[in-house]
């Protein structure tokens, strides 16, 4: 099997020009990279699924007791979805530590420094979605060795924010799409990290006669990221109504497998656990569950404003 060792930021999988057809992403075309690659003792292992100039999707693994250092930041928003274990996310500017458990999410606005720690006894695996760009070039930022608010810190070293996000619990509706967990520009101005627990996900019903559940962790002017829940059972095959997005989309299989049917080309892809599917902007698809268990998929989409498309 051909394992592609190097991930190319902004152009992965390795194809020239605009990607106009779906691409199934498994072990044969997942790229690997390490952050930081200039300090391997304090690094994490990453698997690149997809990267363009509007959307990057990769997974990060940290072993028990591990963490990455120095802190990282990106020229776009970053959303985490914890696939396995519990991660402790640290904001060096505020000193805030957020424990994020399996199935929960984080939103790290553009330019916000962050580090991730694994204080547990199991490996941590996190899906990371960045929009629009993961880096400005093929190099990681190097201006990241500033002061940190850790025990014994010097308060005179800091003039940034002191409080993290604590919004009242609310149950939104489809009207909040594009503004979840809050207005994107406002969140970037505050430069804080946001914890999206199960209770804080935006739940939306997709379809009337063929309903599935969508759980948005993030929906703003840069990205949408969340979960499709496709039920099992019933007297007919459980499937969604057609779905399409104005921006490029990536799907990651969790529970299933789930069949992804392209309504125009009539191609079918069986989306398996931790394997992915790139879907070009504007391409309609349906999700079908032929299994005896609930199907679950993570979706990540570059939103219309960010995609440069109309």
């Amino acid at each position: 099997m051909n394992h592609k060792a190097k991930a190319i930021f902004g152009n992965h999988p390795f194809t020239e020009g605009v990607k106009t057809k779906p691409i199934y992403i498994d072990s044969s075309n997942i790229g690997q990279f390490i952050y930081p690659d200039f300090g391997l003792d304090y690094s994490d292992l990453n698997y690149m699924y997809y990267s363009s100039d509007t959307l990057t999707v990769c997974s990060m693994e940290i072993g028990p007791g591990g963490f990455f250092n120095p802190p990282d930041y990106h020229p776009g928003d970053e959303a985490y979805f914890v696939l396995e274990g519990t991660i402790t996310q640290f904001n060096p500017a505020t000193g805030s530590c957020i424990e994020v458990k399996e199935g929960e999410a984080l939103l790290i606005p553009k330019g916000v420094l962050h580090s991730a720690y694994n204080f547990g006894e199991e490996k941590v695996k996190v899906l990371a979605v960045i929009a629009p760009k993961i880096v400005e070039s093929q190099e990681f930022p190097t201006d990241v060795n500033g002061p940190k608010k850790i025990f014994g810190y010097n308060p005179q070293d800091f003039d940034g924010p002191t409080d993290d996000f604590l919004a009242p619990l609310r149950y939104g509706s489809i009207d909040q799409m594009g503004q979840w967990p809050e207005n994107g520009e406002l969140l970037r101005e505050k430069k804080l990290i946001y914890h999206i627990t199960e209770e804080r996900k935006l739940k939306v019903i997709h379809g009337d006669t063929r309903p599935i559940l969508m759980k948005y962790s993030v929906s703003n002017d840069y990205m949408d990221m969340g979960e499709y829940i496709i039920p099992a059972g019933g007297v007919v095959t459980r499937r969604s109504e057609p779905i399409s997005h104005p921006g490029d989309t990536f799907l990651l299989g969790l529970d299933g497998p789930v069949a992804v049917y392209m309504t125009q080309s009539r191609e079918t892809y069986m989306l398996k656990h931790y394997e992915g599917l790139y879907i070009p902007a504007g391409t309609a698809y349906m999700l079908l569950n032929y299994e005896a268990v609930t199907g679950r998929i993570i979706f990540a989409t570059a939103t219309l404003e960010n995609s440069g498309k109309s």
Side-chain angles (χ1 to χ4, degrees):
M1 187 172 291
N2 180 21
H3 291 268
K4 298 185 182 297
K6 185 178 181 181
I8 303 298
F9 303 129
N11 187 29
H12 186 89
F14 305 99
T15 59
E16 296 181 358
V18 178
K19 301 172 180 64
T20 59
K21 296 182 179 180
I23 303 172
Y24 199 88
I25 300 169
D26 58 16
S27 60
S28 67
N29 56 3
I30 295 175
Q32 292 87 35
F33 68 97
I34 290 173
Y35 178 82
D37 58 3
F38 47 82
L40 301 182
D41 287 342
Y42 305 103
S43 64
D44 58 47
L45 178 61
N46 297 264
Y47 296 87
M48 179 70 78
Y49 286 97
Y50 174 78
S51 186
S52 69
D53 59 356
T54 62
L55 185 70
T56 292
V57 182
C58 58
S59 64
M60 170 181 66
E61 294 183 354
I62 303 177
F67 65 101
F68 70 77
N69 189 55
D72 189 21
Y73 69 92
H74 303 284
D77 288 358
E78 181 172 23
Y80 280 6
F81 189 97
V82 178
L83 299 169
E84 300 173 19
T86 298
I87 197 169
T88 300
Q89 193 75 0
F90 175 58
N91 185 338
T94 67
S96 176
C97 289
I98 305 172
E99 281 195 338
V100 190
K101 300 176 182 179
E102 182 176 323
E104 296 182 341
L106 274 177
L107 175 59
I108 308 164
K110 174 182 176 180
V112 174
L113 285 167
H114 54 278
S115 292
Y117 295 76
N118 181 1
F119 291 110
E121 297 180 346
E122 299 177 351
K123 180 177 70 175
V124 164
K125 189 176 183 70
V126 177
L127 189 74
V129 178
I130 303 113
K133 293 183 178 181
I134 182 172
V135 290
E136 292 290 359
S137 66
Q138 295 302 309
E139 302 295 329
F140 292 113
T142 57
D143 57 333
V144 288
N145 277 307
K148 301 176 184 177
K149 275 191 177 181
I150 57 177
F151 190 80
Y153 77 98
N154 182 1
Q156 295 179 350
D157 291 338
F158 294 88
D159 58 4
T162 58
D163 296 312
D164 249 321
F165 175 73
L166 185 60
L169 180 62
R170 61 190 176 121
Y171 298 96
S173 73
I174 198 170
D175 296 334
Q176 277 73 50
M177 287 179 59
Q179 303 282 327
W180 194 267
E182 188 53 82
N183 176 275
E185 291 185 1
L186 176 62
L187 300 190
R188 290 172 211 122
E189 180 181 344
K190 290 182 178 181
K191 297 186 181 300
L192 302 173
I193 298 175
Y194 305 88
H195 184 191
I196 299 99
T197 61
E198 184 65 30
E199 293 78 13
R200 293 181 183 273
K201 294 176 183 177
L202 175 63
K203 281 80 170 180
V204 173
I205 303 298
H206 181 282
D208 185 11
T209 60
R210 303 280 184 173
I212 66 172
L213 177 63
M214 302 175 72
K215 297 182 180 181
Y216 282 88
S217 295
V218 178
S219 180
N220 66 17
D221 51 334
Y222 282 4
M223 73 167 83
D224 287 340
M225 191 272 282
E227 303 149 79
Y228 290 129
I229 310 297
I230 308 98
V235 296
V236 295
T237 301
R238 298 306 298 258
R239 66 168 176 85
S240 72
E241 295 177 4
I243 305 168
S244 66
H245 309 277
D248 290 346
T249 295
F250 177 85
L251 306 180
L252 180 75
L254 290 184
D255 302 328
V258 173
V260 185
Y261 176 73
M262 303 296 155
T263 62
Q264 185 171 2
S265 67
R266 300 170 69 180
E267 296 173 292
T268 301
Y269 300 88
M270 291 304 297
L271 196 55
K272 301 177 182 178
H273 185 64
Y274 287 174
E275 294 187 351
L277 180 65
Y278 160 73
I279 301 176
T283 302
Y285 61 96
M286 293 190 296
L287 306 173
L288 296 94
N289 185 3
Y290 291 98
E291 304 297 315
V293 297
T294 298
R296 191 162 63 110
I297 291 173
I298 295 180
F299 64 87
T301 301
T303 54
L304 180 60
E305 242 178 280
N306 176 40
S307 68
K309 303 176 177 64
S310 58

